[in-house]
Amino acid sequence: MAEFGKYKKSLLNETNAELVNARKKRSKRRFWFFTIFFIVLIGGFIYFAWYPKFLIKNSYVEGNRVLSTNKLQTSINEYLNGRFAYVLPNRNAFIFIDEDLKKFLIKKHPTIKTIDVTQNVPNDLFVKITERQPHAL
């Protein structure tokens, strides 16, 4: 009877070890599945961020009198050619942040009083500018 108890105990230890190994295999599979899924998801997001149909191609400026349209469009293109978070383009229509463009243009051209930015998704950007008026000449 004592040997039968030892046999039963060793059989239980073997099944426990098999269960533990099976759980480890499952957790490793789950880890690699989610790792690969996350990498593919991030890669797809970056791919669509650079997809040509979602990029702003045209910028239109109106309301400027003192500043030339050419100078303003050069500044707008300089901003749009930059990157957000070192990877994503500022030119992407869905990631585009108009407040950053406003700050950039006001910093670059102090004669600008107000800026109104509207976007015709996905390709057009309209910038309406109000310039400061001199008080004394």
Side-chain angles (χ1 to χ4, degrees):
M1 182 116 175
E3 285 187 28
F4 181 71
K6 288 180 185 178
Y7 177 73
K8 189 175 182 184
K9 191 174 186 180
S10 67
L11 184 64
L12 283 176
N13 286 339
E14 286 178 21
T15 56
N16 283 342
E18 289 173 4
L19 287 174
V20 168
N21 286 337
R23 283 184 192 146
K24 284 182 182 179
K25 274 186 178 179
R26 243 184 281 135
S27 66
K28 282 182 183 179
R29 272 193 231 133
R30 200 175 292 142
F31 168 78
W32 285 112
F33 173 77
F34 283 114
T35 302
I36 291 170
F37 176 76
F38 183 72
I39 290 171
V40 168
L41 185 71
I42 296 296
F45 181 71
I46 291 172
Y47 172 76
F48 282 109
W50 285 96
Y51 193 65
K53 288 191 177 186
F54 299 139
L55 298 180
I56 297 171
K57 294 177 183 142
N58 307 316
S59 60
Y60 303 100
V61 179
E62 60 182 42
N64 55 321
R65 286 186 247 158
V66 177
L67 291 170
S68 70
T69 304
N70 209 10
K71 216 178 204 183
L72 287 168
Q73 287 208 335
T74 303
S75 296
I76 291 169
N77 283 331
E78 182 182 334
Y79 172 78
L80 291 176
N81 289 333
R83 296 200 178 157
F84 177 73
Y86 300 106
V87 178
L88 305 173
N90 284 343
R91 195 171 283 276
N92 186 291
F94 298 107
I95 302 172
F96 176 73
I97 303 170
D98 61 343
E99 291 298 320
D100 288 347
L101 176 64
K102 290 177 185 178
K103 289 176 187 175
F104 179 79
L105 288 176
I106 288 174
K107 185 177 179 183
K108 187 137 181 143
H109 305 285
T111 58
I112 296 174
K113 185 177 182 180
T114 60
I115 301 173
D116 184 35
V117 178
T118 54
Q119 187 179 1
N120 185 7
V121 175
N123 294 329
D124 298 328
L125 183 68
F126 298 98
V127 179
K128 186 173 182 175
I129 292 176
T130 308
E131 295 177 335
R132 298 182 190 278
Q133 299 296 323
H135 291 284
L137 290 176

